[in-house]
Amino acid sequence: MKDYEETIAFLGEWGPFQRLIFVLLSLSAIPSGYISLSMVFIADTPPHHCRVPSLNSSYGGLGYNLSIPTEELKGETILSRCRRYTEQEDSDSAYSYDTEGCVDGWVFSKERYVSTIVTEWSLVCNDSWKSPFTLTVVCAGLLVGSLFSGILSDRYGRRIIFFSSKAVKTICYTALAMSQSWEMFCALYFIIGVMDISSYCTAFILGSELLIKSTRETFGILGVGLSYATGYAVLPLFAFFIRDWRTLQIGLSLVGYLYIPLWWFIPESPRWLITQGRSQEAEAIIRAAAKRNGITPPEDIFQTEFSIDTKESSGQEKYTWRDLLKTANMRNITIINITIWITISLIYYGLSFNTSNLDGDPYRNCLISAATEFLAYAFLQFTIRYVPRRVILPFTLLLGGALLLLIQLVPAELSGLTVTLAMMGRLVVTGAYAFVYVYSTELFPTVVRNMGLGVSSMAARIGSGVSPYVAHIGTYNKTLPFILMGTISLFSGGLSLLLPETKNEKLPELISQVKPLQWCCYKKRSAEINSPDGDVQGSKLAPANQSNVGENSV
């Protein structure tokens, strides 16, 4: 019996149908590149001090030096951001030495921004926790979306979840510019986070299942990766010319409406349809693809006996997240993936949000940070063709950790070297973050692939939710965030050595086809693999031609 990829091999790998799917699904990742990272500018805190009604309301001025105490920040003496001297009415001196809070509000510098959410809702001093918490709210939305999008996509289909989440995300992103309070802003951004990761992960899975072999790899690295990097690179350009956060929000949201026509060009995943016992619908999609490619398909593409397993593919058995933990091999893959995703996400977003703590212009630093994404994806695309999966992930994480740990040895006066090492570390960690999407897609079987990727991505939001606070440490100690992230990267790199090799191998369809972990070069005996604790005996029924699965090294 032929497997799926052998059955549709007549389509070829790079016809008009594949090119269309590749381009459209890749471009759908552009908004994800700026949605969460736009908070670097939208929620930035400009220089500020207490407002004194008797003085000119413009920022700074000689009079403020007499009415506001000074404080030291990063070696520089500035006006206090949260305290002012108490005014005296019955005294020769206008101000006493006693201080009070900014009871009349704040004056914010407009040198860089016309407005941000911080200046509009005064998210400073006692409310300064709200700014990083806004990022945590976004990450919480990404976490929820990662979980439920996977479950819903595996249950109801990739296509419907992809388009519905993209539609809701675009509408809410537009409405965000009309927020009347910080609470309303957070509520909308939470929904945006849910929908953004839903559309991103589902597009990634949909493209991976519609494309095959080397095309799938190129899609995951260059297609989605470069589109995400493009969205990230567009962000500082938009932010540089649009300094008002509401106008910037509207400008960025308009991109989402360009994706409406995709509904008529992107089909459902035939792989998923087959696992649901809907072979006729899958065959109709393949025939339409063959027609677009100018190929005459066989008379009977998916024969009756093609069904992988009657019980599994008929749709009678519904899969849940518990299936990710039922068998030994599946459980090991899931737990290790979750751990690696948490650590990589923490490092990636920690370095991204930490750009404001680096010396130099934030727009330039953000653009350089985006440029590292392009370099990372280009390098990864080259290595992924020739280097085993079990080498790429550990190498990038271990190298990234080493570069970040070196920062603590750089003298304070060599700030340029610190920025260089930070950007180099971000470059290799970006490569690891992009690669882990491809690797995880190959590790999880079709019946729970989107769910597995969703749970891993959900776990990653724990890391991204913590990352704003890791970056916040940099306001007090510039090297401590790099020490923390470097150590975590080394740990994650060592853990990734346990994952099995998937290069040049067919995507697993069933849970019974999931590979065991690899411990160096040691190989388990076949009898051990087929023990009651292994996947062959402990999983759902495997087809006869897959009875030798699990005999690879463990």
Side-chain angles (χ1 to χ4, degrees):
M1 181 179 69
K2 293 182 179 180
D3 69 3
Y4 175 81
E5 292 196 0
E6 290 177 346
T7 302
I8 66 167
F10 66 88
L11 283 178
E13 291 189 28
W14 195 238
F17 171 76
Q18 288 90 344
R19 289 196 291 270
L20 181 66
I21 294 298
F22 184 101
V23 172
L24 294 183
L25 286 177
S26 294
L27 293 178
S28 71
I30 290 178
S32 297
Y34 58 73
I35 280 183
S36 59
L37 295 174
S38 63
M39 296 300 291
V40 171
F41 301 105
I42 290 175
D44 197 10
T45 304
H48 58 280
H49 56 64
C50 292
R51 182 185 299 278
V52 180
S54 60
L55 299 176
N56 191 313
S57 62
S58 62
Y59 183 79
L62 181 61
Y64 282 105
N65 294 329
L66 302 176
S67 57
I68 298 176
T70 59
E71 63 182 25
E72 191 169 311
L73 179 66
K74 296 182 180 179
E76 181 183 356
T77 301
I78 62 172
L79 294 176
S80 176
R81 295 169 294 177
C82 300
R83 307 294 297 177
R84 73 178 190 183
Y85 291 124
T86 304
E87 292 190 57
Q88 298 184 114
E89 296 181 1
D90 302 324
S91 175
D92 294 336
S93 176
Y95 302 96
S96 72
Y97 289 106
D98 296 328
T99 62
E100 61 183 358
C102 300
V103 293
D104 293 304
W106 290 262
V107 178
F108 292 92
S109 169
K110 293 187 180 295
E111 181 181 357
R112 180 169 293 158
Y113 305 107
V114 173
S115 71
T116 68
I117 64 170
V118 173
T119 65
E120 179 155 341
W121 295 310
S122 299
L123 307 182
V124 291
C125 299
N126 291 337
D127 287 332
S128 61
W129 62 271
K130 292 183 178 180
S131 181
F133 184 75
T134 307
L135 292 169
T136 302
V137 169
V138 177
C139 294
L142 296 173
L143 186 151
V144 173
S146 299
L147 174 62
F148 289 103
S149 69
I151 295 174
L152 294 175
S153 178
D154 284 334
R155 178 71 62 87
Y156 301 108
R158 283 60 163 127
R159 185 172 179 264
I160 187 65
I161 301 302
F162 170 71
F163 283 104
S164 59
S165 58
K166 188 161 276 294
V168 175
K169 176 178 69 175
T170 302
I171 293 171
C172 288
Y173 205 61
T174 305
L176 201 63
M178 307 171 191
S179 300
Q180 298 302 306
S181 65
W182 174 76
E183 291 77 12
M184 179 180 176
F185 182 90
C186 287
L188 286 172
Y189 230 127
F190 176 82
I191 298 173
I192 291 168
V194 173
M195 298 304 162
D196 180 50
I197 197 63
S198 298
S199 61
Y200 184 86
C201 286
T202 309
F204 194 94
I205 292 295
L206 189 56
S208 297
E209 294 183 346
L210 285 169
L211 304 171
I212 60 176
K213 297 182 180 178
S214 60
T215 310
R216 184 170 58 235
E217 294 178 356
T218 305
F219 168 75
I221 302 299
L222 287 186
V224 174
L226 292 183
S227 293
Y228 179 92
T230 300
Y232 189 11
V234 163
L235 172 61
L237 299 178
F238 268 72
F240 181 80
F241 291 104
I242 306 175
R243 303 298 179 98
D244 173 71
W245 79 267
R246 290 183 184 273
T247 308
L248 175 61
Q249 199 68 56
I250 292 174
L252 292 173
S253 69
L254 294 177
V255 178
Y257 294 96
L258 300 177
Y259 295 103
I260 294 176
L262 268 63
W263 173 265
W264 289 276
F265 295 97
I266 298 177
E268 181 57 88
S269 165
R271 282 181 182 271
W272 178 81
L273 289 170
I274 290 172
T275 64
Q276 303 301 302
R278 296 159 61 179
S279 298
Q280 290 183 344
E281 295 177 55
E283 185 165 325
I285 292 172
I286 297 300
R287 290 189 179 281
K291 182 178 179 181
R292 183 176 290 273
N293 285 356
I295 296 171
T296 302
E299 184 176 344
D300 191 357
I301 300 176
F302 300 125
Q303 297 148 0
T304 305
E305 63 270 18
F306 179 83
S307 179
I308 300 171
D309 181 272
T310 304
K311 185 178 180 181
E312 289 193 349
S313 64
S314 64
Q316 296 175 0
E317 183 160 356
K318 301 299 183 181
Y319 289 85
T320 68
W321 62 269
R322 296 184 184 88
D323 289 288
L324 298 173
L325 302 173
K326 275 190 175 180
T327 66
N329 289 347
M330 191 74 258
R331 183 165 54 251
N332 291 336
I333 294 296
T334 301
I335 293 174
I336 291 179
N337 263 281
I338 285 174
T339 305
I340 291 175
W341 278 68
I342 290 175
T343 56
I344 292 180
S345 180
L346 187 152
I347 301 165
Y348 176 84
Y349 283 101
L351 291 171
S352 298
F353 295 140
N354 197 51
T355 54
S356 59
N357 293 323
L358 296 175
D359 294 330
D361 183 80
Y363 300 101
R364 183 188 61 197
N365 288 341
C366 186
L367 192 58
I368 293 174
S369 183
T372 64
E373 301 251 346
F374 288 96
L375 293 175
Y377 297 133
F379 175 74
L380 188 58
Q381 177 61 24
F382 174 78
T383 57
I384 200 172
R385 290 180 176 272
Y386 307 104
V387 182
R389 305 290 195 254
R390 295 185 68 242
V391 174
I392 296 176
L393 190 57
F395 174 77
T396 52
L397 289 172
L398 293 174
L399 178 59
L403 289 170
L404 295 178
L405 288 176
L406 284 175
I407 292 176
Q408 63 181 310
L409 305 178
V410 178
E413 60 271 16
L414 299 179
S415 59
L417 181 57
T418 298
V419 174
T420 301
L421 287 174
M423 292 303 173
M424 289 176 62
R426 190 185 185 285
L427 188 152
V428 292
V429 170
T430 297
Y433 204 4
F435 176 73
V436 77
Y437 273 92
V438 177
Y439 201 6
S440 297
T441 299
E442 297 174 344
L443 289 170
F444 288 107
T446 300
V447 290
V448 292
R449 181 170 294 120
N450 209 23
M451 197 184 304
L453 189 64
V455 169
S456 299
S457 184
M458 177 198 71
R461 304 315 144 194
I462 298 174
S464 57
V466 174
S467 63
Y469 299 99
V470 173
H472 185 65
I473 296 174
T475 60
Y476 305 99
N477 187 314
K478 287 188 176 182
T479 61
L480 194 55
F482 297 114
I483 295 173
L484 179 60
M485 291 185 285
T487 303
I488 292 173
S489 186
L490 292 180
F491 167 77
S492 186
L495 188 63
S496 65
L497 289 168
L498 300 177
L499 294 173
E501 183 57 63
T502 60
K503 183 177 174 60
N504 296 328
E505 298 191 14
K506 298 170 183 175
L507 289 177
E509 303 290 346
L510 310 179
I511 293 177
S512 57
Q513 297 171 343
V514 175
K515 285 187 172 185
L517 301 183
Q518 288 188 305
W519 302 85
C520 297
C521 297
Y522 175 70
K523 296 195 176 192
K524 272 194 172 185
R525 298 189 306 274
S526 177
E528 292 176 327
I529 296 296
N530 292 313
S531 67
D533 293 330
D535 272 358
V536 174
Q537 297 293 334
S539 66
K540 294 180 175 66
L541 216 43
N545 67 335
Q546 297 294 337
S547 60
N548 61 345
V549 171
E551 294 181 0
N552 293 337
S553 59
V554 179

